[in-house]
Amino acid sequence: MSAESATPARWLSPDELASWLPVGGLLLRLPAALDAQMQRDSGLSHFEYLVLANLSEAPQRTRRMSALAALASGSLSRLSHVVKRLEGKGWVERTACREDGRYTNAVLTEAGWRKVQQSAPGHVEAVRTLVLDVLTGEELAELGAMARRILARLESAEPNPVAARPAPG
């Protein structure tokens, strides 16, 4: 593709850049802070906690692995490795799906339920301290709406809308 036919870069305006830079910082620092709190207080990664917490909220504390991966915002491969570690600690079991044997379910054990109950208060306090306490109710509702729109874009039919664009130059 020649330089003349390339799509011109859509540079950020000063106002867009002033808004985007703090979002970029948030995307890096918040997950690290949540992970550090979880590691310090419970010996879990934040992703491991999300897996356990999602199972704790499911009927019979059971979810298909594929559904659990989506809820925890991770790949099936990453989830499989994490569930293997959680199985080793006695917190999760894998079972064949009764409704469709082609699927595997993850099941939270009683020991896993106790781990969630022990870990949840520290996590909730971190979420409150780092995010909720600095926002008004209206701001929190706006943040949730914005996050849902962005997630919908990320989950749209195009697997990676950025990668589908022609490269500049």
Side-chain angles (χ1 to χ4, degrees), residues 12 14-15 23 25 27 30 50 89 97 107-110 123 133 145 150 167:
L12 301 182
D15 287 344
V23 171
L27 293 172
L30 183 58
L50 289 176
K89 294 178 181 188
C97 178
V107 181
L108 188 68
T109 65
E110 281 303 314
H123 175 67
D133 290 349
I150 293 167

Side-chain angles (χ1 to χ4, degrees), residues 61-122:
R61 298 182 189 149
T62 302
R63 287 198 197 273
R64 282 187 182 171
M65 291 283 287
S66 53
L68 186 56
L71 285 169
S73 299
S75 69
L76 195 50
S77 172
R78 179 181 184 197
L79 176 68
S80 223
H81 290 293
V82 166
V83 167
K84 185 175 182 177
R85 279 197 309 271
L86 297 174
E87 279 181 305
K89 294 178 181 188
W91 297 333
V92 174
E93 295 175 346
R94 280 188 254 205
T95 63
C97 178
R98 284 187 220 152
E99 295 82 29
D100 189 336
R102 296 175 296 169
Y103 295 100
T104 300
N105 287 337
V107 181
L108 188 68
T109 65
E110 281 303 314
W113 172 239
R114 288 190 299 275
K115 184 65 174 175
V116 170
Q117 290 176 308
Q118 177 261 323
S119 304

Side-chain angles (χ1 to χ4, degrees), residues 30 34 121-135:
L30 183 58
L34 292 171
H123 175 67
V124 170
E125 186 57 36
V127 168
R128 286 195 175 286
T129 300
L130 297 172
V131 180
L132 303 182
D133 290 349
V134 299
L135 300 174

Side-chain angles (χ1 to χ4, degrees), residues 20-32:
W20 174 247
L21 289 176
V23 171
L26 175 66
L27 293 172
L28 293 172
R29 294 187 66 189
L30 183 58

